[in-house]
Amino acid sequence: MAQRGIFITFEGVEGAGKTTQVQRLEATLGPDVVVTREPGGTPVSERIRDIFLTSDRITTMTELLLIAAARAQHVDERIRPALAANQIVICDRFIDATVAYQGYRGGIDLEIIRQLNHIATGGLTPDITFILDLPPEIGLQRQQQDETHRDRLDREPLEFHRRVREGYLAAAEAEPQRIKLIDATQTPDDVHTEILTEYQAYLSK
Ligand code: TMP
């Protein structure tokens, strides 16, 4: 199936404001936008998300394989068909999250992650990725104000969140064409404006 739409992904440490920015970009880009998330986005993938987020005793390799299974279903059932129908797809987390969480935080070899990402996506890569970057201390502080939205990974020690950020920064450095690092300590308005500027620049290429 040929890809014709535009595939945008959002990434970031916990509390970076992804949800707000995804909603704002969706509102700006208009009605022909599909908003989805990982892990999740299809009935089967949402069930896997539930297992992933609520299981206390889970190895990092199991995490990786669950994420890959959820992603394979999501790409086939939802993302590729939407792109083929010329839609804009905005996905809240995707392959770079696996590098940051299961790779940098979890310690799984980055080459294994790269291969599994490739298998699960069938080689589909986002056209543009926004990493909302901020020190994890600030992100976690923001999140603690809303305890109901904290999951298993949010409760991990600060050191883990630092490694996640390190993973995202490394990903951004490795692929500057695709990945745009956005300073998420700015106001939500300023973050949105910067995202739009980067998006316009991508379109005019
Ligand atoms: P969310 O909080 O952005 O909804 O994401 C759910 C959790 O899933 C978050 O803590 C990060 C984690 N995650 C991974 O560990 N690896 C992945 O590949 C993805 C997509 C998410």
Side-chain angles (χ1 to χ4, degrees):
M1 214 181 279
Q3 179 185 330
R4 283 175 283 138
I6 300 172
F7 186 24
I8 305 167
T9 59
F10 277 78
E11 301 279 0
V13 293
E14 319 288 338
K18 274 187 301 102
T19 310
T20 306
Q21 294 302 327
V22 165
Q23 285 168 354
R24 291 198 60 173
L25 187 62
E26 179 189 16
T28 305
L29 296 185
D32 206 21
V33 175
V34 173
V35 174
T36 186
R37 68 173 178 184
E38 287 214 344
T42 74
V44 164
S45 309
E46 289 290 333
R47 285 170 70 186
I48 297 173
R49 178 189 177 90
D50 209 42
I51 297 169
F52 177 87
L53 287 180
T54 59
S55 308
D56 283 333
R57 293 179 55 202
I58 177 171
T59 70
T60 310
M61 184 54 78
T62 306
E63 280 188 358
L64 175 63
L65 295 171
L66 286 173
I67 290 282
R71 179 165 299 145
Q73 185 68 30
H74 188 211
V75 166
D76 257 33
E77 184 179 334
R78 190 121 189 252
I79 299 178
R80 279 195 194 275
L83 293 174
N86 213 17
Q87 290 181 295
I88 297 172
V89 175
I90 303 178
C91 190
D92 186 339
R93 295 200 194 278
F94 198 59
I95 47 174
D96 304 300
T98 320
V99 171
Y101 281 84
Q102 281 65 50
Y104 277 75
R105 158 191 152 272
I108 293 187
D109 186 271
L110 296 179
E111 180 54 24
I112 292 178
I113 304 237
R114 195 192 62 74
Q115 286 181 19
L116 211 50
N117 272 344
H118 188 81
I119 291 167
T121 59
L124 179 72
T125 314
D127 296 302
I128 184 161
T129 296
F130 300 108
I131 295 183
L132 307 187
D133 178 56
L134 89 174
E137 296 86 334
I138 300 178
L140 293 176
Q141 220 168 35
R142 284 184 186 172
Q143 275 211 329
Q144 267 151 14
Q145 290 155 9
D146 189 2
E147 181 62 27
T148 52
H149 283 100
R150 301 186 79 216
D151 59 43
R152 174 173 70 80
L153 284 85
D154 299 338
R155 294 190 172 86
E156 287 186 340
L158 190 57
E159 184 50 32
F160 282 47
H161 296 280
R162 289 207 176 107
R163 277 188 230 143
V164 169
R165 185 193 192 195
E166 198 190 316
Y168 277 134
L169 293 178
E173 203 174 303
E175 283 186 76
Q177 292 284 357
R178 169 174 72 88
I179 302 178
K180 307 299 166 192
L181 203 60
I182 310 286
D183 175 5
T185 62
Q186 303 177 91
T187 65
D189 278 352
D190 288 347
V191 171
H192 180 59
T193 304
E194 198 178 327
I195 286 170
L196 279 186
T197 305
E198 292 288 1
Y199 183 66
Q200 296 300 341
Y202 162 76
L203 289 183
S204 60
K205 262 191 230 159

